[in-house]
Amino acid sequence: MECMPVVCARISACMFAYKKCQLSAFFAKLKPKGTTDFLSNKPSTALDVTQLPSRKFVLSFITASGCLALMAEWSWVAYTVLEVLIAAACCFGNVLVMCAVYFGIRDSLREPTFCFLVSLAMADFLVGVAAVPLAVLLDGWVSLIPELCLLLSCVVLVLTQASVLSLLAIAVDRYLRLHTPLRYKALATQRHTWIGVSVCWILSCLLGFTPLFGWHNYSSPASDSTNTSSTSFIHPPCTFLSVISLPFMVYFNFLGCVMAPLLVMTLLYTRIFWSLQGRLKDSCPQTQASLLREKRLACSLALVLILFAGCWIPLHLMNCLLLFQGPQAVTQGTLYTGILLSHANSAVNPVIYAYRIPKIQQAYSQLWRRFLAWLNCCHRKKAGAQIINMQLNH
């Protein structure tokens, strides 16, 4: 997401510089000694009319530049349209999840798993409300002071971290429920659960806003004191990597804040499935039903985790390539795909809940019935008002 403007600009500059050098080599030979070439701005050496660039070569240079600009424009249009669709799906789907849990499942907020699911749905909803618009905006379309640009860029990191920590809290909750059943009821009170949700969001803010404390790209105002007053008010376009450093994204955000929790969650779910498999073999028929329900829920939550990893890791791997191999390692289209994939994860989660978690399925059905009943009631009221108006008119 964040690297696209830098990569696109550098690729375009490299292509143009390559063609420019070729043209300069040709035009330099057409001028007498001591004159200056208009492309390279260096003294030319000799005049050799036989080395004129062909008309086909010049036309290919112009055509290539135009095609590059046209492709970049159309790819940006397609990217923006898809981002708008993803944002709408994120908002609608996750609002539906929160309403289903709150209104459709009795005493749902007393169960820690559903509280953390609501926290995850809130983070996904904010992705549609804030992260997606910021991703489009921080594509070099606005010029902001570096401090504000950095603050807006950190919002995206906060929401990603909130999703990771909510998933981690869900995994810890399922692990404790299975391995410490006697102490679980004492630990998993409503007060403790909401404290856990609050801790997840506070840690997300601390980790996501870390660049504000110094790990960023832009220079401080004191270091730029040599700039003239006329240029001090001209701010460059705001892009993610103009303020967020790639070492921070790779070493701190990816390895420390994403991969480490994902590894912990993988170990927890491995222990959960291993324990459930052993208990199912040794349990009596009366307890197998509850163990199967527990296994189904664990599978659903593990699927949410796998989808999160599959959607976000490719974009982080692109950041690694950009850090170690440079801008030429990742194409613009590949970056757009990684950005869209990461945002699409927030739109997919409500679908997983609907198909995999029976309580949320029932809550969706209940909400749908209420909505249809409300529409029917509104239609009847409207029809009744029309009949009354017709009787009054006659």
Side-chain angles (χ1 to χ4, degrees), residues 136-148:
V136 177
L137 191 66
L138 300 182
D139 201 11
W141 289 100
V142 292
S143 296
L144 302 171
I145 60 173
E147 292 79 5
L148 181 57

Side-chain angles (χ1 to χ4, degrees), residues 49 56 80 110 125 148 166 174 178 189 245 299 319 363 375:
V49 181
K56 181 178 179 181
T80 304
R110 294 182 180 275
F125 170 75
L148 181 57
S166 296
R174 304 319 298 177
L178 190 65
T189 62
S245 67
C299 288
N319 286 333
L375 284 180

